[in-house]
Amino acid sequence: MKETMGESTDAHEKYGEMAARYADSNPDQRARAEYEWPVVRSLLPDVSGKRVLDAGCGSGYYSAWLAERGAEVVGIDASEEMIAEATDRHGDEATFLVADLREPLDAFEDESFDLVVSQLTLEHVEDWRPPMAEFHRVSKPGGRLVVSCDHPFTTYFVIEHEDPEIGSADATEADYYEVERYDRVWGEGEKRIEIPCYRRSLRGVLGPIFGAGFVLEDLREPRPPETDGPLAYFESHTPRFLVVRARKPSPSSRR
Ligand SMILES: C[S@@+](CC[C@H](N)C(=O)[O-])C[C@H]1O[C@@H](n2cnc3c(N)ncnc32)[C@H](O)[C@@H]1O
């Protein structure tokens, strides 16, 4: 992996600075409500009566959605402020814990979840092998993993083009095959924030999922809708997000 650059503040600390604002606005953002979330939702199995881990749950909006459909949900996030928001807003519906996906998830027993969902969080983690190994460990045989992340092509493209509208603060060039740190810029003026992200190749996304022992079930590259705002940059011609579903094989169905 390439040496990282920029300041050493972790992404979750940046999210912590804007936790309340994120909780208020994020679910309604068009890129989420009309683009990313419908695709994630379409890949979710029936969650009624299932135990679900929302890994990188932020302010808990999606944990609550899952709980409202009958799941027993545990949301984890490295940001104490995000977990405080999640607990305030949705603590009656789900359980929320501070946990860093770069560390072992010691709070959870082996084979204790039917579904692990991780939405738009793993781009803040440089090495995906530890979280994928933990997702596999805590998944029941036959359990599903649904991950959404920045699309590898798009992050490469963004860095190469350095468009300030969508942000690539420090990066000036990209090597598609490397895992590379870049800072995404959101907001302006007092609301301006730079969040550390790591871009990677398609193999960089799938390799750790396969390496942990999951098998791929589906892969989506949704076409952005015709819209204004940041998504318009992509002119509906390039995917902004990648969404995958994988399964932990049951002993009887190993392949
Ligand atoms: C874009 S938000 C997504 C939150 C939620 N999944 C959603 O879709 O609204 C990214 C989240 O990742 C969390 N995060 C960043 N690095 C993390 C890490 N190493 N471990 C756990 N959570 C992390 C941040 O605190 C933030 O809440």
Side-chain angles (χ1 to χ4, degrees):
M1 288 177 199
K2 271 194 174 175
E3 205 171 300
T4 57
M5 55 201 228
E7 59 184 87
S8 62
T9 308
D10 288 337
H12 68 272
E13 293 168 7
K14 297 285 190 173
Y15 279 101
E17 293 171 20
M18 58 165 182
R21 183 153 42 99
Y22 184 90
D24 286 339
S25 64
N26 184 61
D28 298 326
Q29 303 261 339
R30 295 182 72 183
R32 299 304 305 277
E34 298 176 20
Y35 182 47
E36 184 262 1
W37 169 236
V39 182
V40 171
R41 204 173 54 207
S42 74
L43 291 186
L44 295 176
D46 179 5
V47 297
S48 179
K50 306 294 187 195
R51 192 150 186 266
V52 179
L53 177 65
D54 186 357
C57 63
S59 49
Y61 175 84
Y62 300 98
S63 305
W65 186 95
L66 292 158
E68 284 159 16
R69 278 145 191 86
E72 181 194 334
V73 185
V74 182
I76 57 172
D77 200 285
S79 163
E80 291 181 14
E81 294 86 350
M82 281 291 196
I83 289 298
E85 287 293 336
T87 305
D88 279 356
R89 292 168 189 249
H90 306 293
D92 292 343
E93 295 148 284
T95 302
F96 296 102
L97 302 171
V98 176
D100 193 319
L101 292 172
R102 296 169 296 188
E103 306 293 333
L105 301 177
D106 292 334
F108 308 122
E109 294 185 0
D110 296 358
E111 303 189 354
S112 53
F113 288 98
D114 299 284
L115 170 67
V116 178
V117 183
S118 190
Q119 282 181 267
L120 304 184
T121 291
L122 286 166
E123 41 271 81
H124 304 301
V125 175
E126 184 172 11
D127 185 353
W128 283 22
R129 290 170 298 181
M132 288 303 164
E134 284 296 85
F135 293 165
H136 189 269
R137 180 184 67 76
V138 303
S139 292
K140 295 177 185 175
R144 298 305 205 284
L145 169 70
V146 175
V147 172
S148 69
C149 63
D150 288 326
H151 194 286
F153 167 75
T154 301
T155 47
Y156 171 75
F157 177 86
V158 165
I159 290 173
E160 282 292 287
H161 288 261
E162 289 189 273
D163 190 303
E165 293 296 314
I166 44 182
S168 58
D170 291 335
T172 52
E173 60 181 30
D175 178 344
Y176 178 77
Y177 295 99
E178 297 286 340
V179 175
E180 295 173 316
R181 156 99 188 253
Y182 69 106
D183 291 333
R184 173 167 299 144
V185 180
W186 282 339
E188 292 174 8
E190 285 184 359
K191 290 185 176 170
R192 181 187 161 92
I193 200 157
E194 292 180 16
I195 301 201
C197 300
Y198 295 90
R199 59 148 300 278
R200 68 201 70 226
S201 66
L202 182 58
R203 176 68 193 174
V205 170
L206 297 179
I209 296 175
F210 295 143
F214 289 104
V215 293
L216 191 64
E217 287 194 327
D218 206 337
L219 182 152
R220 304 281 179 89
E221 313 177 273
R223 185 185 289 274
E226 299 285 347
T227 182
D228 51 8
L231 285 178
Y233 180 81
F234 299 100
E235 295 176 331
S236 299
H237 295 157
T238 58
R240 173 75 179 80
F241 298 122
L242 177 70
V243 187
V244 300
R245 185 175 71 194
R247 175 174 45 85
K248 177 173 177 172
S250 305
S252 59
S253 69
R254 287 202 198 287
R255 62 181 187 92

